[in-house]
Amino acid sequence: MKKKEIIIGIIYLIYIVLGCSYVFFPNGILNKVLSMKLGFAQLYSFSTLIGFIALTISILMIISSSFRNNFKIRNSLMNLFLVIVVIFSFSFIYFGVDNRKIEEKHIHNRVIKLVEWNVANNINEENIRDIFGRFDADIAVFPELEGYEKGDMSNRKLADLFKKANIDFEKYKAYISEPTEGSIAPVTIVIKRTVGTYYVLKDTPMTRFGTVYLLPTSENSPPIIGLHTAPPLIGLMGMWQRDLNLIEEIANHNKDSIIIGDFNATMKHGNLNDIKTHIDALEYASKFNSGTWNRNILSFFRSRIDHILIPIDKYCVKSVDIQNYKNSDHLCIYTEIQEIKR
């Protein structure tokens, strides 16, 4: 076997081992460690894209080998290995994204409509009309939304946008996280007043770009936690890892809370694998149209980095829809949930 084929074989072997750890054994130590490392963290975010690239290259290599040998595939270890890579890549693409069917359950009639969208501090009246008019959202979490200038709360801007959209802003209340350093806007949560009255928990652990802990004054209203983590970039990897660990702690200590936001990670990154108290609403979306970033690439290849985590024992998912608005690089998640009868 040629040296070039040996190198290619080693690369593919590493790809299979790491792919298996991410797709089939996400709770394993190998995936938990590597998925939090620079380079691997980014690659794992786009498992479908990586699987598609490996699949395409493998098929092209097999075809090329056939042409060089008068359309007869060489009976060699390399070609057999390439066939294995092709089969694995199909599995990697299909199973790399978790997906569940929406099942009928004994539920209450009450429906809660939720929206999550990192608006990149760029929301307009058409978005407001869609989210709070057409969809009639009860709770909306907007990572990266502030007022007209740095440090300005988003209330006045929202009031103006609601007015332009011909929707009464007095029927809603906005809750905003503390301003952060740099250019990233804080987290804003908008809740319909009929859902309930909330108060903000102070002196609580915060993710890098803001966290809002909302507790209802009534038992009939769900606790809400909205957050935005640091991204897995050079210089911020430590902060990103700390934020993901914090999300796991938040889920374990707030089992009845709906946790919504931009995690900058899939649910297979690091300790997010250990969250058993909640289910991601995106698992009920279309398998290959559930990615929320980046809107500029094909839906098939987008990464699930925005999430709506629903308490498993309290709610079930009725519907999920992904909306593609042009004024952000993130897509918007619409979901309806219902309480489970006890």
Side-chain angles (χ1 to χ4, degrees):
M1 186 177 289
K2 297 180 180 179
K3 182 179 179 180
K4 180 180 177 181
E5 292 179 333
I6 294 175
I7 294 175
I8 292 174
I10 293 174
I11 292 174
Y12 271 131
L13 184 61
I14 294 173
Y15 158 71
I16 290 175
V17 172
L18 298 186
C20 279
S21 72
Y22 177 77
V23 174
F24 302 112
F25 305 101
N27 287 306
I29 187 66
L30 181 61
N31 177 68
K32 283 188 176 181
V33 172
L34 291 183
S35 65
M36 300 293 279
K37 301 298 182 182
L38 185 65
F40 291 104
Q42 289 76 14
L43 289 174
Y44 285 1
S45 294
F46 296 93
S47 60
T48 304
L49 177 59
I50 298 303
F52 180 80
I53 291 173
L55 175 66
T56 303
I57 293 174
S58 301
I59 291 175
L60 290 176
M61 289 179 67
I62 292 174
I63 294 173
S64 175
S65 174
S66 300
F67 271 92
R68 288 199 308 268
N69 292 273
N70 296 322
F71 299 97
K72 293 181 180 180
I73 299 178
R74 290 179 300 172
N75 185 20
S76 67
L77 182 61
M78 175 53 70
N79 279 291
L80 177 61
F81 191 64
L82 287 173
V83 171
I84 294 174
V85 171
V86 168
I87 295 172
F88 172 76
S89 294
F90 271 117
S91 300
F92 194 18
I93 291 170
Y94 188 80
F95 293 108
V97 179
D98 293 328
N99 184 247
R100 302 183 186 220
K101 292 182 179 180
I102 294 178
E103 300 177 355
E104 292 292 333
K105 293 185 178 181
H106 297 291
I107 54 179
H108 290 292
N109 291 327
R110 185 190 184 196
V111 173
I112 302 175
K113 297 181 178 182
L114 305 170
V115 167
E116 191 281 343
W117 184 31
N118 185 329
V119 300
N121 205 23
N122 186 25
I123 193 170
N124 59 43
E125 63 267 25
E126 292 182 5
N127 305 141
I128 296 294
R129 192 176 295 114
D130 268 1
I131 294 170
F132 297 100
R134 180 181 60 81
F135 183 63
D136 192 24
D138 296 305
I139 301 167
V141 176
F142 302 120
E144 284 196 58
L145 177 62
E146 60 185 349
Y148 290 108
E149 58 187 33
K150 179 65 180 177
D152 181 24
M153 293 298 186
S154 55
N155 301 68
R156 185 161 58 93
K157 178 192 281 187
L158 284 169
D160 292 343
L161 291 173
F162 270 72
K163 185 177 181 179
K164 290 179 181 179
N166 198 28
I167 299 174
D168 186 4
F169 186 58
E170 292 300 318
K171 294 181 178 180
Y172 300 83
K173 183 172 177 58
Y175 304 84
I176 301 101
S177 67
E178 294 296 324
T180 59
E181 298 177 1
S183 60
I184 304 300
V187 178
T188 294
I189 302 179
V190 180
I191 300 181
K192 191 183 293 184
R193 292 183 186 274
T194 54
V195 173
T197 304
Y198 287 81
Y199 62 92
V200 181
L201 278 182
K202 301 293 185 180
D203 301 322
T204 46
M206 298 288 174
T207 51
R208 177 64 181 85
F209 294 130
T211 305
V212 183
Y213 297 76
L214 297 180
L215 282 184
T217 57
S218 168
E219 292 183 358
N220 295 325
S221 303
I224 305 293
I225 300 175
L227 58 87
H228 186 192
T229 72
L233 300 175
I234 296 176
L236 292 174
M237 288 298 295
M239 184 63 68
W240 177 69
Q241 294 167 6
R242 175 235 174 227
D243 282 352
L244 297 196
N245 291 338
L246 177 58
I247 292 174
E248 183 214 356
E249 293 178 13
I250 288 173
N252 289 336
H253 290 91
N254 298 272
K255 297 180 180 180
D256 293 335
S257 296
I258 300 174
I259 304 170
I260 310 176
D262 178 0
F263 294 10
N264 276 306
T266 73
M267 294 305 294
K268 291 185 178 181
H269 276 99
N271 286 345
L272 295 185
N273 286 285
D274 292 333
I275 296 177
K276 308 301 180 186
T277 55
H278 294 69
I279 187 70
D280 187 5
L282 286 179
E283 290 193 21
Y284 295 89
S286 171
K287 179 177 283 287
F288 298 119
N289 188 30
S290 58
T292 61
W293 189 84
N294 185 298
R295 67 166 295 272
N296 294 316
I297 64 177
L298 294 173
S299 61
F300 189 72
F301 299 132
R302 291 178 189 137
S303 180
R304 289 180 178 177
I305 64 172
D306 298 89
H307 304 278
I308 298 178
L309 302 188
I310 310 298
I312 292 176
D313 296 332
K314 291 185 69 80
Y315 301 96
C316 64
V317 177
K318 180 182 178 184
S319 67
V320 185
D321 188 25
I322 309 296
Q323 292 291 319
N324 189 343
Y325 296 121
K326 295 181 179 180
N327 41 326
S328 173
D329 56 346
H330 288 250
L331 282 83
C332 180
I333 307 170
Y334 288 65
T335 187
E336 294 179 291
I337 63 173
Q338 288 184 289
E339 292 176 306
I340 300 174
K341 283 185 177 180
R342 297 184 179 278

